[in-house]
């Protein structure tokens, strides 16, 4: 089905829904690289006007990637709930935007329709929204998950403590981990990107974190971000695996490039569940995504990068994840050119994920060859804090020395919690107070008060 819109004396024609969505997207370098972006701002406006008139039902009848050739499309269509969709089935995309922003649409209403939404519907409405709209609507939709603590409660924001090391040196990782804990970070998880996929090295890191966690009774969860097949092997060998990690994308071909399928993710999910390591819940999958991943694998099929990204959230939703992290600026300026594009993408990803019922966090980051700086990250951090982000990254000095990119620091987490009055996961907050790291309000205590725990942990790890 084709779509048209006239502006003045000029009529714009869009061959199909896939083309319309791409042309309606805000400007970004990835879509330009793929050759799917609007050729002018006027064409972009025409596409938005045409998209606003498209009935939501259309997305159930016009697949962007054929059902027969893509298992993500099959997942989206097969899992769609007509009952949940009924409440909004009469709306166009433009009407849906108005409904989302209405003062009478609350968290209960957004929860009711979740199973009736497809990622394409959600991507479409986001293209009609200003940044403030994305913030306002996402803030209405908390997504709460539990493993050893509770993440995503309204008024709370958690931090993934990321103590990476370029050689997987256990003492170096332990030192960064202790540093982050002393700043009150780590309630989302303690997650390490290993420099090696060697199973012995991965197991050593898992054992180190678990030993520390049990010794000090820390109510958090650990994760070593290796390929899901390595995690399954580690589970089979008895390693203390909490969260099961995998990078995912929005098409079957892109996921195949990651060496995964929905069946493999199901196997990993069941393996994690079999360990029964959660204490307050059993959400245990940790997924990472990022706009541009499908394009970089030549697996986007002409679909714009933001819509491909939202399709990845449908994959995540299938496995009841504990955390989903859009690593928003990590792929580079070929896909998100500058701070403005990174900011917009981060707000889009958070809004779209939350609307689909996914526990969204964001690695607010950029590579050193992007047209962005830490002020851009400060802006996005603040905006996402207002929007109700579930978690952010906590990295020593905001500079990851293993992955070589810029993110957010332990101090950045203190800043956004302070100015917006955000609390940590309640179980973790109680632990910090009991260990005299923070007071009852969540404020850091003096270094002298923290010293007993710090010295004990240093002695345990053999750190001078």
């Amino acid at each position: 089905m084709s779509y048209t819109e006239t502006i003045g004396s000029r009529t714009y024609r869009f061959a199909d829904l896939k083309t319309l969505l791409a042309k309606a997207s805000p400007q970004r370098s990835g879509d330009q690289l793929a050759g799917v972006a609007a050729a002018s701002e006027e064409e972009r406006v025409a596409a938005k006007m045409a998209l606003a008139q498209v009935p939501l039902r259309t997305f159930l009848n016009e697949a962007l990637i054929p059902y027969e050739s893509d298992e993500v499309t099959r997942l989206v269509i097969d899992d769609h709930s007509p009952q949940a969709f009924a409440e909004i089935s009469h709306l166009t995309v433009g009407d849906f935007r108005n409904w989302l922003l209405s003062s009478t649409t609350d968290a209960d209403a957004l929860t009711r329709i979740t199973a009736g939404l497809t990622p394409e519907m959600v991507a479409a409405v986001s293209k009609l929204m200003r940044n403030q709209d994305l913030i306002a609507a996402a803030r209405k939709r908390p997504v709460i998950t539990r493993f050893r603590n509770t993440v995503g409660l309204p008024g709370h924001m958690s931090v993934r403590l990321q103590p990476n090391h370029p050689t997987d040196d256990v003492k170096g990782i332990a030192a960064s981990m202790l540093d982050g804990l002393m700043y009150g970070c780590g309630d989302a998880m303690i997650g390490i990107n290993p420099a090696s996929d060697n199973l012995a090295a991965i197991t050593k890191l898992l054992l180190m974190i678990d030993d520390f966690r049990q010794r000090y009774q820390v109510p958090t969860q650990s994760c070593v971000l290796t390929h899901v097949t390595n995690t399954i092997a580690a589970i089979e060998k008895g390693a203390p695996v909490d969260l099961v990690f995998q990078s995912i994308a929005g098409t079957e071909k892109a996921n195949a490039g990651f060496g995964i399928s929905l069946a493999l993710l199901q196997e990993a999910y069941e393996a994690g569940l079999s360990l029964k390591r959660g204490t307050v819940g059993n959400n245990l999958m940790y997924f990472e995504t990022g706009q541009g991943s499908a394009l970089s694998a030549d697996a986007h099929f002409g679909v714009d990068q933001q819509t491909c990204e939202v399709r990845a959230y449908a994959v995540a939703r299938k496995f009841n994840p504990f955390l989903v992290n859009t690593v928003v600026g990590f792929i580079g300026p070929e896909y998100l050119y500058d701070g403005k594009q990174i900011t917009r993408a981060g707000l889009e990803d958070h809004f779209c994920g939350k609307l689909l019922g996914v526990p969204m966090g964001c690695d607010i980051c950029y590579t050193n060859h992007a047209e962005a700086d830490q002020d851009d990250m400060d802006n996005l951090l603040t905006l996402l804090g207002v929007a109700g982000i579930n978690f952010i990254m906590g990295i020593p000095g905001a500079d990851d020395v293993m992955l070589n990119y810029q993110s957010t620091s332990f101090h950045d987490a203190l800043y956004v919690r302070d100015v917006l009055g955000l609390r940590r996961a309640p179980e973790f907050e109680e632990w910090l107070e009991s260990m005299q790291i923070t007071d009852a309000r969540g404020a850091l205590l003096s270094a002298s008060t923290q010293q007993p725990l710090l010295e004990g942990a240093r002695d345990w790890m053999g750190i001078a």
Side-chain angles (χ1 to χ4, degrees):
M1 178 179 176
S2 63
Y3 303 85
T4 62
E5 186 65 42
T6 300
I7 297 180
S9 61
R10 187 187 298 270
T11 297
Y12 290 91
R13 292 180 173 82
F14 308 98
D16 50 26
L17 190 57
K18 176 168 60 178
T19 302
L20 181 63
L21 287 168
K23 301 292 188 182
S25 293
Q27 184 179 22
R28 60 206 54 197
S29 52
D31 289 339
Q32 292 171 322
L33 179 67
V36 301
S40 67
E41 285 303 316
E42 184 173 281
E43 184 181 28
R44 183 171 288 111
V45 169
K48 289 177 184 288
M49 293 170 65
L51 181 60
Q53 301 171 52
V54 174
L56 291 180
R57 288 184 180 276
T58 302
F59 294 92
L60 300 176
N61 302 318
E62 189 174 342
L64 305 189
I65 303 173
Y67 181 96
E68 297 76 17
S69 61
D70 186 90
E71 68 174 359
V72 177
T73 299
R74 292 195 290 276
L75 170 68
V76 168
I77 297 302
D78 293 350
D79 281 8
H80 180 260
S81 168
Q83 293 76 24
F85 182 58
E87 185 171 347
I88 56 170
S89 61
H90 61 291
L91 300 178
T92 64
V93 177
D95 294 334
F96 186 38
R97 173 190 174 274
N98 295 338
W99 183 85
L100 289 170
L101 296 173
S102 170
S103 60
T104 60
T105 300
D106 57 12
D108 288 342
L110 293 175
T111 302
R112 283 197 307 271
I113 68 165
T114 298
L117 295 174
T118 69
E120 291 83 2
M121 292 177 193
V122 173
V125 76
S126 75
K127 297 175 192 298
L128 304 184
M129 302 176 87
R130 293 169 57 186
N131 286 1
Q132 66 174 250
D133 299 337
L134 297 173
I135 293 167
R139 187 176 175 84
K140 295 182 183 184
R141 181 52 167 108
V143 179
I144 301 166
T145 56
R146 297 175 174 86
F147 190 74
R148 285 201 191 91
N149 59 27
T150 306
V151 171
L153 293 166
H156 291 67
M157 185 199 74
S158 297
V159 176
R160 171 190 160 186
L161 174 49
Q162 184 170 301
N164 293 343
H165 192 279
T167 64
D168 289 341
D169 179 77
V170 172
K171 287 186 179 181
I173 289 171
S176 292
M177 181 178 72
L178 291 173
D179 189 27
L181 289 169
M182 293 302 144
Y183 279 103
C185 294
D187 50 339
M189 70 166 173
I190 300 171
I192 302 168
N193 298 87
S196 166
D197 271 340
N198 178 277
L199 187 58
I202 291 164
T203 302
K204 186 176 183 180
L205 295 175
L206 286 168
L207 289 169
M208 181 273 288
I209 300 175
D210 198 60
D211 194 13
F212 180 90
R213 182 190 62 77
Q214 292 195 60
R215 177 178 291 257
Y216 291 100
Q217 299 181 310
V218 190
T220 191
Q221 35 284 321
S222 65
C223 185
V224 174
L225 281 66
T226 186
H227 192 270
V228 70
T229 53
N230 291 331
T231 303
I232 293 172
I235 290 172
E236 290 172 347
K237 291 183 178 297
V241 173
D242 289 342
L243 304 186
V244 176
F245 163 78
Q246 183 56 49
S247 293
I248 58 173
T251 72
E252 180 178 348
K253 183 179 178 182
N255 282 326
F258 287 137
I260 61 167
S261 64
L262 296 180
L264 181 59
L265 292 177
Q266 183 67 36
E267 179 185 349
Y269 178 47
E270 292 173 2
L273 286 174
S274 72
L275 299 179
K276 300 179 180 179
R277 290 176 60 82
T279 56
V280 298
N282 61 1
N283 301 112
L284 55 80
M285 299 299 285
Y286 173 60
F287 295 117
E288 287 193 342
T289 68
Q291 288 194 28
S293 59
L295 174 58
S296 68
D298 191 26
H300 61 105
F301 301 99
V303 178
D304 68 90
Q305 67 179 41
Q306 189 245 345
T307 301
C308 281
E309 169 73 3
V310 185
R311 284 169 57 94
Y313 305 154
V315 175
R317 179 170 64 174
K318 178 69 174 178
F319 302 101
N320 303 311
F322 182 64
L323 308 168
V324 176
N325 179 25
T326 170
V327 192
V328 68
F330 184 74
I331 301 182
E334 298 83 3
Y335 305 95
L336 295 169
Y337 180 72
D338 57 15
K340 182 175 183 178
Q341 292 188 16
I342 292 170
T343 297
R344 173 70 189 191
L347 295 176
E348 287 170 349
D349 294 351
H350 177 248
F351 161 79
C352 292
K354 285 291 183 65
L355 213 56
L356 288 171
V358 171
M360 289 302 297
C362 183
D363 191 341
I364 301 162
C365 64
Y366 63 102
T367 57
N368 288 314
H369 63 308
E371 291 295 322
D373 59 27
Q374 215 62 38
D375 285 337
D376 295 312
M377 300 306 104
D378 287 350
N379 294 341
L380 180 53
L381 169 63
T382 306
L383 294 172
L384 285 172
V386 174
I389 193 81
N390 278 31
F391 71 99
I392 62 168
M393 300 295 109
I395 295 171
D399 182 7
D400 193 297
V401 296
M402 196 278 283
L403 294 174
N404 293 310
Y405 77 114
Q406 310 304 310
S407 184
T408 48
S409 70
F410 307 145
H411 295 84
D412 294 334
L414 291 177
Y415 146 74
V416 75
R417 281 172 168 156
D418 181 49
V419 298
L420 298 178
L422 301 172
R423 306 300 294 255
R424 300 170 181 88
E427 301 89 345
F428 191 79
E429 199 161 73
E430 289 177 11
W431 176 79
L432 290 173
E433 184 181 358
S434 72
M435 300 301 289
Q436 297 183 293
I437 296 173
T438 64
D439 63 19
R441 298 175 295 108
L444 292 182
L445 296 174
S446 67
S448 60
T449 304
Q450 296 179 356
Q451 201 64 24
L453 171 62
L454 186 57
E455 290 299 329
R458 281 174 171 167
D459 291 343
W460 172 66
M461 288 304 303
I463 300 172

